[in-house]
Amino acid sequence: MWKALAAIVLSTLPLRGCDDLSMLEKGVLNELQHRAESIFQVLKENCAAANAEDVDRYMRTFHPDCPDYAARRFSFEYICTEADLMSRIVRMQIISMGSEETHVLYVTRTEKMCGPSSIEDNLVATELVTLRRSGKEWHVYSAEPIQEGYFSLPR
């Protein structure tokens, strides 16, 4: 969307020199960079809230219209009572970015610090996360698992 908008705006500018074009391009790039940073910040906050086991803080990172909002809250409350998990973000890559919806490839590694043996340890999860705007802020709308796997660490 931004590329198309930038192309339209660029095509309507009188060509007075490279400085005019580069200033507009810098403005568009700055806007895209700011949006990407805002999106990544939501995912970082989501991970930090999960590590802190702060249910309300964690749920604030989700879009109010998230299709499984109540189920997410219930499962997060449950896992917080059953185990102590520590997640870290391995990778975040924007796949597509629009003005209202963005898709991010999101890879995390979660270690079980303590908890029952029924909860496996050392999960690496790759998800396609969809973020949507609610007002001016971005929120996680959905997350589709792409790949999950467990690995063993030497003790």
Side-chain angles (χ1 to χ4, degrees), residues 2 8 13 16 22 24 28 31 36 39 42 47 49 69 76 81-82 85 88 92 95 109 117 122 127 138 150 155:
W2 277 100
I8 291 168
L13 284 178
R16 288 181 287 200
S22 62
L24 179 62
V28 169
E31 169 61 27
I39 288 163
V42 171
C47 187
Y69 189 90
F76 185 68
T81 62
E82 293 296 312
L85 304 176
R88 69 177 177 88
M92 294 184 288
I95 303 300
R109 176 179 164 192
S117 61
N122 300 315
E127 300 172 302
W138 289 95
Y150 295 92
R155 299 268 176 202

Side-chain angles (χ1 to χ4, degrees), residues 69-154:
Y69 189 90
R72 278 186 187 276
R73 182 178 193 93
F74 178 79
S75 63
F76 185 68
E77 287 173 339
Y78 173 78
I79 199 73
C80 287
T81 62
E82 293 296 312
D84 184 13
L85 304 176
M86 186 60 59
S87 295
R88 69 177 177 88
I89 298 169
V90 176
R91 181 177 176 199
M92 294 184 288
Q93 178 183 350
I94 293 178
I95 303 300
S96 66
M97 183 168 27
S99 59
E100 298 298 318
E101 183 173 285
T102 296
H103 298 94
V104 177
L105 181 69
Y106 184 62
V107 181
T108 57
R109 176 179 164 192
T110 303
E111 295 180 64
K112 179 175 68 175
M113 309 318 275
C114 65
S117 61
S118 60
I119 297 175
E120 293 193 57
D121 193 12
N122 300 315
L123 170 68
V124 175
T126 303
E127 300 172 302
L128 181 62
V129 177
T130 300
L131 294 98
R132 288 190 180 169
R133 281 194 190 270
S134 177
K136 293 184 178 184
E137 295 183 5
W138 289 95
H139 298 275
V140 175
Y141 182 77
S142 64
E144 300 296 324
I146 296 172
Q147 183 177 10
E148 291 183 344
Y150 295 92
F151 63 95
S152 297
L153 291 175

